Amino acid sequence: MVKLADEVQAQQKKATRAAYGATLAELAGEGVPVVAVDADLTGSTTTKKLADAGYADRLFNCGIAEQNMIDVAAGLAITGHVAYTGSFAVFGTGRVYDQIRNTVCYSNLDVKIAPTHAGISVGPDGGSHQMLEDISLMRGLPNMRVLVPADYASARAALRLAAATPGPVYVRMGRASVPCVYADDVDLEIGRAYVLREGADATIVACGVEVEQALKAADMLAAEGISVEVIDAFSVKPLDEDTIVASVAKTGCVVVAEEHSVLGGLGSAVAETLARKHPARAEFVGMRDTFGKSGEFEELLDYFNMGAAAIVEAVKTVMAAKLL
């Protein structure tokens, strides 16, 4: 079992993006040849912390030119550096998809695509900046691994894993402060999913900020006598198929929750796995093929039916279908 946050930690909130610059500074201090290439957002992405820690010569600000940012990172990777790119997810994956595909992934370069401000947690920035297709884009690329941390501690672990893993890695981070799920020094692995709560009636597979919502939903369901298993699919690609299939084989049904479109993301990855290995009833909590709206993060979770209450209803729906 991984180390989870204690009751005091669980009340604390930190943004996953807050781990970015601080972790890069840690890695630099340990002798890892990390560099950060940003697109004029060093304060928002927190890559500025790398420079503030005494490594200003490792931070490259390319200005508002994200395509160039990826190409500069690729060049730095070719010269032996572990290159991280920073921007908002809507620009750091969508605007630069061609460069990520043909320059980074095609050549299997040691570039880590690690944008912040993904999903509806961007909140008041509105639908134009709420990137909800990035997991789909990145998991479809050969050579790319995809990590979606649930909190600050797992974001730190993801960034460190990216440095230790040769080749392209996508680390998805958000803007909003979210409750702690894991202990500060949690150690995670690429290709692993983590059972955070055991149950018998249904499985909930979640990633990112939806992990904490899934745990809330589990508490709400437990009060009604329903026992659910909660799995953090921290590594969306490669997916830990064995853990997910074993859980669904036990419970007989699954709900997948993600702060992302229901098309092409974690839900699709889980459905593809179950179709091949263990067909079962499934429901999906996520964005329903639409753009976001401006609003506070918590308001948007409820508005788009992506919060704990929506997960509860999805569990009841899939359990009823299982009995048919």
Side-chain angles (χ1 to χ4, degrees):
M1 292 287 290
V2 292
K3 295 174 66 176
L4 300 181
D6 59 31
E7 291 185 11
V8 174
Q9 285 179 304
Q11 301 305 313
Q12 300 172 353
K13 288 188 175 184
K14 290 184 180 180
T16 50
R17 64 170 170 147
Y20 195 10
T23 304
L24 293 185
E26 286 178 10
L27 290 166
E30 294 165 13
V32 181
V34 295
V35 293
V37 189
D38 211 300
D40 208 30
L41 290 165
T42 60
S44 295
T45 63
T46 79
T47 55
K48 184 176 181 293
K49 292 180 182 178
L50 179 63
D52 293 343
Y55 302 100
D57 59 336
R58 299 198 190 193
L59 175 58
F60 301 87
N61 187 346
C62 291
I64 306 172
E66 289 84 357
Q67 293 98 330
N68 186 49
M69 173 186 72
I70 298 296
D71 288 341
V72 169
L76 288 164
I78 289 171
T79 60
H81 296 86
V82 180
Y84 288 76
T85 63
S87 182
F88 292 174
V90 69
F91 309 124
T93 60
R95 181 173 290 176
V96 298
Y97 181 78
D98 178 44
Q99 286 73 28
I100 294 173
R101 181 187 186 276
N102 287 322
T103 304
V104 173
C105 288
Y106 193 79
S107 298
N108 200 25
L109 299 180
D110 210 6
V111 176
K112 318 305 173 182
I113 311 299
T116 61
H117 295 64
I120 58 170
S121 62
V122 174
D125 285 359
S128 63
H129 282 53
Q130 292 167 1
M131 185 57 165
L132 296 156
E133 313 91 62
D134 51 314
I135 297 174
S136 175
L137 289 174
M138 295 297 104
R139 70 177 283 259
L141 287 170
N143 294 326
M144 182 68 80
R145 294 83 161 177
V146 178
L147 305 179
V148 186
D151 65 356
Y152 178 92
S154 58
R156 179 176 176 273
L159 291 161
R160 296 183 69 88
L161 276 171
T165 304
V169 181
Y170 180 57
V171 180
R172 186 189 208 232
M173 292 174 284
R175 173 190 184 186
S177 294
V178 294
C180 297
V181 173
Y182 292 100
D184 288 340
D185 59 347
V186 69
D187 186 21
L188 304 177
E189 299 176 32
I190 289 180
R192 285 283 307 279
Y194 296 92
V195 179
L196 305 186
R197 188 166 304 181
E198 295 187 353
D201 297 326
T203 297
I204 304 173
V205 180
C207 66
V209 300
E210 290 293 324
V211 172
E212 191 257 340
Q213 295 297 315
L215 291 169
K216 279 185 180 178
D219 289 337
M220 295 163 67
L221 289 161
E224 299 183 39
I226 299 172
S227 166
V228 295
E229 192 143 288
V230 178
I231 297 175
D232 177 8
F234 160 78
S235 176
V236 174
K237 181 189 177 186
L239 188 68
D240 185 352
E241 296 184 348
D242 291 344
T243 294
I244 292 170
V245 169
S247 178
V248 176
K250 176 174 67 172
T251 65
C253 58
V254 63
V255 170
V256 183
E258 57 188 320
E259 186 206 12
H260 183 271
S261 172
V262 294
L263 306 174
L266 175 63
S268 294
V270 171
E272 291 159 13
T273 296
L274 294 177
R276 288 186 291 106
K277 294 190 172 183
H278 191 89
R281 295 283 187 174
E283 285 289 331
F284 304 92
V285 173
M287 198 60 124
R288 296 285 169 181
D289 196 22
T290 186
F291 290 105
K293 292 180 179 293
S294 180
E296 295 302 320
F297 173 42
E298 292 77 8
E299 294 175 326
L300 294 172
L301 277 178
D302 291 337
Y303 181 86
F304 287 112
N305 294 315
M306 293 165 65
I311 297 174
V312 167
E313 291 307 310
V315 167
K316 292 179 179 179
T317 298
V318 80
M319 285 179 62
K322 177 177 67 169
L323 297 174
L324 295 177

